[in-house]
Amino acid sequence: MIASTQSVEKWFHCLNDVKDPEIPTVSIVEMGMVHQIFSESHRLVVEVIPTFMGCPALDLIEKNIKERLQQETGVEQVEVRFVYDPPWTSDRITEQGRIQLREFGIAPPAEPHPSCPYCDHSQGEVISLFGPTACRSVYYCRSCRQPFEAMKIV
């Protein structure tokens, strides 16, 4: 199997179906986690950058990538490699990913303060620097009085 430019685009397109297990409306492509895709020794290799060290969802992400790509004609073996160089940063989130985060109720990363995903007010206060995952914080919106999560700028 040779990964041409056209087939690499196809694989990226297929991986839009693989959602982040913590945020089921955002794909791993939209989160900027897919580093590169290439063929090696008759198998398709997908390099994935985790959003943080020790992410508990890596086994599930690997399983979902393999299952999705093996649905395609000609793909028999898929290897998922988790890479940490380059490190994942919040700049890797695509514009569509930022929209999907907001629609899910998570503010995308922003300087100096994230805007509330419910009312777009930008003067929320930090409730906790640590949210349900290491890459999110919890805020309280002073305008609509809703708590919300925000992606950290990494």
Side-chain angles (χ1 to χ4, degrees), residues 1 3 24 54 85 94 105 113-114:
M1 171 189 327
D85 186 21
T94 67
H113 303 286

Side-chain angles (χ1 to χ4, degrees), residues 70-110:
Q70 288 173 337
Q71 292 174 9
E72 297 300 309
T73 304
V75 178
E76 294 176 19
Q77 291 184 330
V78 176
E79 179 182 346
V80 177
R81 295 179 185 163
F82 293 102
V83 297
Y84 298 91
D85 186 21
W88 182 86
T89 68
S90 51
D91 292 339
R92 295 181 63 93
I93 302 172
T94 67
E95 192 55 42
Q96 183 61 34
R98 291 170 186 276
I99 291 167
Q100 298 294 100
L101 284 170
R102 183 171 289 288
E103 288 176 357
F104 189 69
I106 298 174

